[in-house]
């Protein structure tokens, strides 16, 4: 009796194995499914009537989404990992050795183990269904394909492209997959059954078969004679991207090198060994855990299930600066007509220029054509007054960070907008409840904090004021998801979540500079820890004005533990430095290069060198301590969401799983002991929070095992 598979065979001997997971919306190659498949394939191998086998899915938009990642995460020993992956490999190999032609019909996502199954078939047909995504993204989870995928893919498309696809965790649509040779044909979904019959007829004739196979990859001269070149280029690329922090890409390259002179079966076994090694690394466990959090967030509406998000047909953006232009671009990109309000004609031109710059970057990557961009730009209109905003379903305010300027604008908005329209503020530090005080309808007012630059940063903090309605929260969450962002609901406290943690980190680094440490060294150490850039480069990037102002808001909100370093004020106010945007901050910027700004360096005459550990502990543990307070106050729902916000909002190294996962890994007891030492040396800002102390007493971690 089969649970997840359905089997049928027509009178021509064409059999169909239909994947239809009994309890999930997606098909996964879990152990249970694989074992069922094994029995079925065994039966088919003895079926003399059989002429062709088709592998299909009954799920809309999904072929097979992959192996069961929960099963990978739960592997704890080498033996378990080897056994698991050998089992999958054996079952897929039994498909490959069937005596009749096998065809994977991919009309939806075929990822990881799902695509490995397709690779074990003789032929593959994809469709133009937009949900058709094909690839082997295991590296993004810290592992690599383990069911024979690396070896079969190299045979199918060659070494260079196989490594590119796997190392980049690329997911291609049907057309691109056909172009790369991953599938033999890509057909419109509507014609699938017709094309399928045509394809079966073709592979049953010698000529037809030859025609299909003639399109397959033939090893290039570079592959035959210059694989050393391919490896050295790929190694350099990977080193640049991952700085050696991620074991999976390195293992993939090592594996492909190793199997060069092996036969097919030895190569498969080498893949198995490499997979088992990676599956046990902490990096993989962390990346998988972040993957699950992102899945959880995708299904989290932020409010009760029965709350409906308001449909958004038209939008408005107020303010055309750094953030306004990014948000304007985002609306047009997701095909929502949007109207901009700025203060002068010149600003309209500047804002549209910034929007266009974002589009040109997409065009360069081949994601949109000029025609498609023009259609999107056509969705934007602009005004220097308040005409034409009454049709907007949502208005996002991104004007200067100033309470009275914002309140003045809201007063006008309440007279100009429909009274059902949502007003969202992109404030980075002001209290949403306080800003709502001036409004007649505060329930439609909500915080929607995008990060800079809007086109690249995936996080949106959604802030609920004390009067914000559930509907308003649900609407901005749905909007953020529609825009491809990850929204996380956070509490209405100074700095919300991310800035509340990030600013103390920056300020602590500035304290150390003031005490005599080289800021370049602090930057280098944190870069080496895995941050995308050190704190001084970060504040230069964000703008010293922005950073300083937010630091002041936090100082006001939290008092002495967030007191800013006096030298920060001197650099911003007295020296008037603004950071990268004006060419001078902690560093000076000329074209694409930068160097230490000696004028800033000269501010500190006494030099003092801290140990590496001291520098890392002061900057990182000050964040851990504040994070535990935020968690205790309920600023964010749980540790996993907090970690995701830090990864997405600050680039906290994903291979570490996030800030609190890092604290867990160090051990809460040791974190607290270290904080106590730091508090005697540097003051009360390091005193461990109540939550941390309780966790030590109760031997708890942020994450349950
Ligand atoms: P910006 O200085 O680039 O742009 C501000 C815009 O507001 C300009 O269009 C300006 O003409 C307009 N403006 C200035 N005074 C005004 C007034 N009295 N009335 C109406 N409009 C006025 O600022 P940016 O960086 O775009 O920031 C806008 C908002 O987004 C602020 O609330 C800021 O805190 C927030 N934010 C900024 C981030 C950043 O990294 N720059 C990140 C996330 C949020």
């Amino acid at each position: 009796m089969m649970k997840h598979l359905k089997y049928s065979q027509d009178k021509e001997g064409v059999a169909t194995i239909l994947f239809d997971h009994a309890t999930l919306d997606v098909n996964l190659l879990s152990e249970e499914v694989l074992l069922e498949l094994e029995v079925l394939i065994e039966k088919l191998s003895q079926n003399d009537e059989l002429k062709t086998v088709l592998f299909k899915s009954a799920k809309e938009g999904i072929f097979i989404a992959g192996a069961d990642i929960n099963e990978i995460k739960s592997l704890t020993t080498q033996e378990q990992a080897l056994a698991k992956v050998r089992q999958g490999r054996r079952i897929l190999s039994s498909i490959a050795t069937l005596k009749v032609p096998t065809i994977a019909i991919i009309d939806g996502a075929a990822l990881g183990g799902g695509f490995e199954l397709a690779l074990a078939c003789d032929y593959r047909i994809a469709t133009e269904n937009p949900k058709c995504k094909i690839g082997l993204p295991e590296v993004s989870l810290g592992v690599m394909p383990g069911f024979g995928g690396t070896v079969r893919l190299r045979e199918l498309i060659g070494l260079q492209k196989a490594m590119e696809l796997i190392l980049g965790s690329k997911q291609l649509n049907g057309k691109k997959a056909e172009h790369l040779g991953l599938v033999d044909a890509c057909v419109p979904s509507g014609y699938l059954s017709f094309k399928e019959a045509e394809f079966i007829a073709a592979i049953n004739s010698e000529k037809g078969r030859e025609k299909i196979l003639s399109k397959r990859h033939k090893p290039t001269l570079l592959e035959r004679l210059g694989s050393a070149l391919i490896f050295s280029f790929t190694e350099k690329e990977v080193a640049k991207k991952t700085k050696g922090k991620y074991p999976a890409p390195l293992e993939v390259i090592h594996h492909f090198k190793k199997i060069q002179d092996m036969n097919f079966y030895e190569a498969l076994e080498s893949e198995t060994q490499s997979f088992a090694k990676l599956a046990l690394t902490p990096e993989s466990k962390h990346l998988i855990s972040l993957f699950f959090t992102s899945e959880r967030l995708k299904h989290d509406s932020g409010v009760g299930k029965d709350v409906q998000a308001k449909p958004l047909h038209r939008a408005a953006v107020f303010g055309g600066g750094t953030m306004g232009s990014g948000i304007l671009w985002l609306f047009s990109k997701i095909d929502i007509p949007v109207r901009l309000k700025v203060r002068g004609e010149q600003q309209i031109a500047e804002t549209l220029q910034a929007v266009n710059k974002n589009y040109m970057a997409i065009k360069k990557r081949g994601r949109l054509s000029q025609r498609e961009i023009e259609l999107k730009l056509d969705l934007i209109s602009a005004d220097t007054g308040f005409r034409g905003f009454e049709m907007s379903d949502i208005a996002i305010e991104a004007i200067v960070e100033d309470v009275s300027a914002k309140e003045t604008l809201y007063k006008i908005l309440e007279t100009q907008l429909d009274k059902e329209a949502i007003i969202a503020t992109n404030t980075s530090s002001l209290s949403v409840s306080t800003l709502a005080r001036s409004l007649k309808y505060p329930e439609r007012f909500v915080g929607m904090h995008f990060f800079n630059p809007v086109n690249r940063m995936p996080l949106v903090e959604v802030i609920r004021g004390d009067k914000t309605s559930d509907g308003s929260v649900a609407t901005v969450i749905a909007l953020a998801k529609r825009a491809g962002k990850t929204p996380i609901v956070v509490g209405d406290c100074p700095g919300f979540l991310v800035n509340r943690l990030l600013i103390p980190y920056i300020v602590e680094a500035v304290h150390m500079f003031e005490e005599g440490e080289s800021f370049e060294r602090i930057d280098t150490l944190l870069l080496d820890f895995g941050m995308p850039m050190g704190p001084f480069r970060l504040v230069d990037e964000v703008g010293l004005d922005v950073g300083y102002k937010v630091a002041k808001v936090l100082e006001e909100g939290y008092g002495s533990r967030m007191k800013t370093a006096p030298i920060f004020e001197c650099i911003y106010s007295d020296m008037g430095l603004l950071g990268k945007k004006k060419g001078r901050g902690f560093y000076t910027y000329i074209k694409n290069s930068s160097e230490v700004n000696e004028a800033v360096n000269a501010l500190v005459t006494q030099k003092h060198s801290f140990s590496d550990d001291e520098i890392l502990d002061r900057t990182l543990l000050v964040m851990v301590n504040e994070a535990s307070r935020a968690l205790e106050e309920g600023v964010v729902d749980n540790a996993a969401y907090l970690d995701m916000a830090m990864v997405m909002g600050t680039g906290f190294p994903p291979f570490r799983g996030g800030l609190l996962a890092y604290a867990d890994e160090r051990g809460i007891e040791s974190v607290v002991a270290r904080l106590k030492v730091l508090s005697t040396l540097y003051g009360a800002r390091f005193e461990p929070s109540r939550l941390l102390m309780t966790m030590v007493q109760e031997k708890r971690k942020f994450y349950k095992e």
Side-chain angles (χ1 to χ4, degrees), residues 58 136 467 472 475 592 695:
L136 296 173
K467 301 223 170 86
S472 304
T475 305
N592 287 332
M695 287 171 74

Side-chain angles (χ1 to χ4, degrees), residues 164-236:
E164 263 173 41
L165 190 88
I166 294 172
L167 292 171
S169 287
K170 290 186 183 159
Q171 300 183 13
L172 307 182
N173 63 25
K175 273 273 165 235
K176 287 197 173 146
E178 182 188 22
H179 186 70
L180 195 68
L182 295 179
V183 296
D184 297 296
C186 174
V187 305
S189 285
Y191 293 114
L192 185 55
S193 54
F194 167 71
K195 291 284 179 187
E196 199 179 282
E198 215 176 63
F199 195 87
I200 294 171
I203 60 172
N204 280 322
S205 82
E206 200 165 318
K207 242 179 148 179
R209 208 165 46 237
E210 268 173 20
K211 193 171 164 204
I212 292 167
L213 295 179
S214 71
K215 289 192 204 148
R216 295 246 175 117
H217 172 82
K218 289 159 206 74
T220 58
L221 194 64
L222 184 63
E223 275 164 2
R224 277 185 280 125
L225 304 175
S227 59
L229 215 65
I230 298 178
F231 284 122
S232 100
F233 172 77
T234 312
E235 270 163 350
K236 273 194 203 124

Side-chain angles (χ1 to χ4, degrees), residues 678-691:
L678 292 174
S679 77
T680 57
L681 291 170
Y682 304 108
R685 66 183 183 274
F686 284 104
E687 261 166 30
S689 71
R690 207 171 45 194
L691 177 63

Side-chain angles (χ1 to χ4, degrees), residues 318-325 327 341-344 347 351 397-402 404-406 408-409 425-430 448-453 499 541-543 545-546 550 581:
F318 291 81
T322 312
M323 299 306 288
S325 57
I327 298 165
K341 154 75 175 87
V342 282
R343 295 194 295 175
Q347 260 203 323
T351 311
E397 169 274 303
I399 67 163
V400 63
E401 188 78 334
D402 178 88
S404 84
K406 286 186 193 291
T408 308
L409 174 67
T425 174
N426 184 46
T427 177
S428 45
S429 59
L430 302 170
M448 191 174 190
H449 182 208
F450 288 90
F451 286 70
N452 185 17
N499 282 337
E541 200 71 36
V542 168
D545 49 342
V546 177
V550 181
K581 59 187 165 191

Side-chain angles (χ1 to χ4, degrees), residues 519-520 523 532-545 571 576-600:
F519 62 78
E520 207 183 8
D523 270 356
M533 61 185 85
F536 297 92
R537 283 212 180 267
L538 176 67
V539 76
D540 265 6
E541 200 71 36
V542 168
L544 281 158
D545 49 342
I571 294 166
L577 301 184
L578 293 179
K580 199 173 176 185
K581 59 187 165 191
K582 294 286 177 208
R584 286 172 73 227
F586 286 95
Y587 297 86
T588 50
Y589 300 84
I590 306 158
K591 290 204 168 142
N592 287 332
S593 73
S594 64
E595 51 189 48
V596 166
N597 184 348
E598 289 306 337
V600 172

Side-chain angles (χ1 to χ4, degrees), residues 373-414:
I373 292 173
E374 277 160 18
L375 288 172
K376 288 183 188 290
L377 286 172
D378 278 351
L379 298 171
I380 300 177
S381 63
D383 196 32
T384 52
F386 286 91
R387 289 176 302 259
F389 289 96
E390 61 283 351
M391 302 282 281
S392 309
D393 301 304
I394 184 166
I396 299 195
E397 169 274 303
I399 67 163
V400 63
E401 188 78 334
D402 178 88
V403 177
S404 84
K406 286 186 193 291
E407 283 181 348
T408 308
L409 174 67
Y410 301 154
K411 285 214 172 71
I412 304 174
L413 291 190
E414 285 207 309

